[in-house]
Amino acid sequence: MATAQRQAIMEALKRIDEGVYGRCVDCGSSVPEGRLEARPEAARCVQCQGKRERRR
């Protein structure tokens, strides 16, 4: 689990460098500020994350 979290953080830092942090990697919409406060490494908006979790 720590490895997955580390990877998510590294990907978030890459999105910051690319100037796309805070945008959903699936649909491109804004990730809500509250979600980013709770999970700064969040890569998806709530809707897209929900869809991804339901597919598992």
Side-chain angles (χ1 to χ4, degrees):
M1 178 133 183
T3 302
Q5 188 172 15
R6 181 181 185 279
Q7 182 64 34
I9 292 168
M10 296 303 291
E11 290 171 4
L13 291 171
K14 182 179 177 187
R15 288 192 304 278
I16 290 170
D17 289 341
E18 294 172 349
V20 295
Y21 180 77
R23 292 275 171 206
C24 177
V25 296
D26 290 344
C27 71
S29 67
S30 294
V31 177
E33 188 174 323
R35 178 164 171 73
L36 291 174
E37 286 178 12
R39 304 224 32 176
E41 74 280 8
R44 291 174 178 81
C45 65
V46 176
Q47 282 186 325
C48 289
Q49 185 65 37
K51 289 177 188 175
R52 182 178 173 92
E53 290 175 3
R54 284 190 293 274
R55 279 187 253 149
R56 289 184 185 190

